[in-house]
Amino acid sequence: MTDLPAHSPLAVRGLSVTYGDKPAVQAVDATFPRAALSAIIGPNGAGKSTFLKACLGIIPRLSGEVSIFGQPFAQARGRVAYVPQRASVDWDFPTTALEVVQMGQYRRAGLWGRLSGSARAQALDCLNRVGMADFATRQIGQLSGGQQQRVFLARALAQEADLYLLDEPFAGVDAATERAIVDVLRGLRAEGKSVIAVHHDLSTVEDYFDHVFLINQRAMAEGPVARAFTPDALHATYGGRLGLAAAPQTVQAAE
Amino acid sequence: MGAEFVQFSLTPILIGMFAAMACALPGNFLILRRQALIGDAISHVVLPGIVVGFLVSGTIAAGPMGLGAAGAALVAVVLIEAIRRFGRVEPGAAMGVVFTTMFAAGVLLLEQTGSAQVHLDVEHALMGNLEQLIWLRASGWASLTDPAALATLPPELTRMALACAVITGLVLAFWRWLKIATFDEGFAQSLGIPTGALGFGLVIAAALAAVAAFQAVGSILVIAMFICPPAAARLMTNSLTSQVCWSLLFAALSAIFGYVLAGYGPLWLGGQHAVSAAGMIAVVSGIILGLAALLGPCRKGAQAI
């Protein structure tokens, strides 16, 4: 296929993923804008995380094409930073916040390369940007959920990528962490970086994001928040399940 | 005393140490990946492989039995993965089915060899024969520099030291991959680290350790050595590097104290006979784990404060 736009940090055509014989994502097209904050929104089980993982080759895709800045993912790997769901890892792992951030420097150091003192300084700076500099030597299991999420974000910053893919960065975090994360993401946008986040809280979409992509196994709507984040689109995406997560006026409008 | 020690205790202790450390190294990662049961499974499934190797070759030579064991480990890994995928059961259940079935098949095969005149019996398979791996030609510490005496060292010592060195080399070479993939597999995949092959390689390294250790120390000790030293080490530190170092120390201590206690402990207590060294080494490693659980600085309870 040749119609994948090279200007887009992440463009997807006809992406399908199945678990066994159960379809998880069906024939999805999406084009995300550069230097913007984009949200992937949909009900539980709609395939949001699956969509991200399939784009990154973590889950095999049944069909479809994915392009990162106009290239296949394998060639654009170095430009992408991925932040998995916090709950997907074991935080009892014997390591410190700083060491987790330094995992983000792996591509520069390689399998055997030495991490220099300046790499350590860069990792500390990343922790500083998420307000976690004081916790550098703390074992990660001793951090709160919000602090763990910030360490994950710092690891992504250490990758010095152009595209940041975050899976539910605001899930189960405190208000201070949510503000800190939003500030960092806005800073990335100001530097011309692109951010795509799986997001749950419909009430903050308009505050935080520029662009939305609505998914419920199939692509339901996409575009700038003002145009695509409409009651009709939400109703189509969530069906009768549009519940407490939505802001009151949105719910009323949807009904 | 010195001469007797070199003759009868030095080589079994060294073999026990190398076996314990070779198992503890992959054990660290298996435990952190919540796959401790894999070590257990491997040490069981190598039994039928060793018996088949023995039946086919008719000797207890290391080569054919080692090949059989490695083959059995591969068959088991493939079977576990197949049952997990096609049977849609959780990995623990798939492992349980495969390793109990293969171990039982191994015991049945073992009974068929009972008429043979060669020494391969159930007790040997479970407890090993550490006490028999002595260095008869040694006449004292000076033998360590005597080429003629060194040539008669038990071949198990060389084999175990080699296995330990290979596994150490592999862990060092793939350290960064192992660390990242064990902590956060999804992130590792996004970096392009081949996590599937890495996990498979870890299991193969564990199988190598199990096969090398099996003949000398038996399957009971192999199980203990995969789990006890790394689990105790985790309670001592919050750094992966230190954890691995602690696990090696605990493995070595278990082998030394276990062997000495098995040989002399019963005599000190007024008993007549030494007890199984492999059994005592496993008991000592369990006691170390118990002490670490009670007193280790990085227990769950200690961390909360």
Side-chain angles (χ1 to χ4, degrees):
Chain A
M1 238 186 271
T2 52
D3 66 335
L4 288 170
H7 61 82
S8 168
L10 175 63
V12 175
R13 292 292 175 269
L15 179 71
S16 293
V17 180
T18 56
Y19 285 123
D21 37 359
K22 262 195 0 223
V25 169
Q26 290 185 63
V28 164
D29 291 353
T31 308
F32 292 90
R34 196 183 271 235
L37 303 185
S38 305
I40 299 175
I41 294 167
N44 289 327
K48 304 183 293 291
S49 297
T50 305
F51 171 79
L52 267 196
K53 288 179 186 163
C55 290
L56 292 162
I58 295 173
I59 295 176
R61 47 182 190 259
L62 192 67
S63 61
E65 292 204 24
V66 174
S67 105
I68 312 272
F69 298 106
Q71 289 179 306
F73 174 61
Q75 275 147 52
R77 221 184 262 289
R79 300 180 68 181
V80 179
Y82 168 56
V83 180
Q85 283 183 24
R86 183 167 54 86
S88 70
V89 309
D90 174 14
W91 291 91
D92 255 350
F93 192 85
T95 194
T96 60
L98 183 64
E99 284 185 57
V100 171
V101 175
Q102 293 214 277
M103 288 181 191
Q105 300 171 326
Y106 161 79
R107 282 198 73 80
R108 250 162 296 153
L111 184 50
W112 294 301
R114 224 169 58 84
L115 285 167
S116 63
S118 67
R120 186 186 151 87
Q122 189 241 4
L124 278 170
D125 180 56
C126 293
L127 275 175
N128 194 32
R129 281 165 72 184
V130 298
M132 289 288 294
D134 295 342
F135 299 89
T137 56
R138 194 74 72 87
Q139 200 269 327
I140 52 174
Q142 298 168 6
L143 303 173
S144 73
Q147 291 170 328
Q148 290 171 347
Q149 188 67 57
R150 284 196 249 177
V151 170
F152 256 20
L153 183 58
R155 180 179 68 180
L157 294 176
Q159 290 181 263
E160 296 184 328
D162 297 316
L163 169 62
Y164 294 79
L165 299 173
L166 300 88
D167 199 343
E168 304 221 15
F170 303 115
V173 305
D174 51 287
T177 295
E178 184 154 340
R179 272 196 306 280
I181 292 177
V182 169
D183 285 346
V184 170
L185 297 184
R186 284 177 178 155
L188 287 172
R189 178 178 58 188
E191 293 170 34
K193 316 278 191 185
S194 311
V195 177
I196 301 171
V198 171
H199 191 57
H200 241 14
D201 182 1
L202 296 179
S203 67
T204 52
V205 170
E206 284 157 310
D207 280 350
Y208 294 168
F209 293 97
D210 313 312
H211 179 96
V212 287
F213 171 63
L214 296 167
I215 182 172
N216 191 352
Q217 289 194 6
R218 297 170 181 284
M220 306 307 285
E222 69 174 323
V225 170
R227 220 181 58 221
F229 191 66
T230 60
D232 283 350
L234 283 172
H235 195 78
T237 309
Y238 284 79
R241 287 188 285 163
L242 186 58
L244 297 171
Q249 71 273 20
T250 318
V251 177
Q252 281 161 16
E255 287 163 357
Chain B
M1 179 64 198
E4 193 183 302
F5 175 81
V6 174
Q7 216 173 6
F8 293 113
S9 298
L10 180 64
T11 48
I13 287 179
L14 283 178
I15 291 169
M17 275 174 61
F18 285 132
M21 295 196 299
C23 292
L25 273 174
N28 277 292
F29 295 96
L30 291 176
I31 283 189
L32 289 172
R33 287 165 171 249
R34 303 271 185 264
Q35 290 180 334
L37 205 59
I38 288 241
D40 198 358
I42 288 168
S43 51
H44 280 86
V45 300
V46 296
L47 181 65
I50 285 174
V51 179
V52 168
F54 167 71
L55 286 176
V56 170
S57 70
T59 70
I60 53 165
M65 285 168 69
L67 273 181
L74 277 178
V75 168
V77 169
V78 171
L79 270 180
I80 289 171
E81 196 57 24
I83 291 177
R84 197 178 67 76
R85 288 241 176 106
F86 301 118
R88 302 247 182 104
V89 295
E90 53 150 338
M95 272 184 243
V97 168
V98 170
F99 84 66
T100 47
T101 309
M102 289 184 70
F103 186 66
V107 171
L108 290 180
L109 277 174
L110 204 51
E111 284 186 341
Q112 301 307 307
T113 70
S115 55
Q117 297 300 306
V118 191
H119 183 64
L120 183 73
D121 56 36
V122 176
E123 193 193 334
H124 183 146
L126 295 180
M127 305 298 239
N129 61 344
L130 203 50
E131 293 89 340
Q132 293 162 28
L133 303 176
I134 51 180
W135 190 15
L136 275 177
R137 284 284 301 277
S139 51
W141 291 102
S143 300
L144 284 174
T145 54
D146 174 8
L150 283 177
T152 63
L153 274 172
E156 284 85 352
L157 179 60
T158 328
R159 203 183 312 141
M160 206 57 247
L162 196 65
C164 195
V166 167
I167 290 170
T168 306
L170 285 174
V171 167
L172 285 177
F174 292 99
W175 178 264
R176 205 167 274 164
W177 277 11
L178 281 167
K179 180 174 178 175
I180 296 178
T182 300
F183 171 58
D184 190 343
E185 189 168 13
F187 176 71
Q189 284 168 326
S190 79
L191 294 177
I193 294 173
T195 55
L198 189 68
F200 192 71
L202 182 61
V203 171
I204 296 298
L208 176 66
V211 169
F214 185 89
Q215 274 181 285
V217 299
S219 66
I220 290 181
L221 185 52
V222 172
I223 298 168
M225 283 307 143
F226 272 125
I227 297 177
C228 290
R234 175 64 189 92
L235 301 167
M236 301 304 293
T237 173
N238 276 327
S239 142
L240 183 61
T241 313
S242 327
Q243 178 189 320
V244 171
C245 294
W246 274 104
S247 75
L248 291 175
L249 177 71
F250 284 153
L253 287 178
S254 305
I256 295 168
F257 283 102
Y259 191 84
V260 170
L261 279 178
Y264 302 103
L267 304 181
W268 295 336
L269 293 173
Q272 295 293 314
H273 305 287
V275 295
S276 153
M280 185 57 89
I281 292 174
V283 168
V284 170
S285 71
I287 289 172
I288 290 178
L289 175 56
L291 288 176
L294 284 175
L295 307 168
C298 295
R299 290 165 292 134
K300 274 266 166 63
Q303 284 170 11
I305 302 162

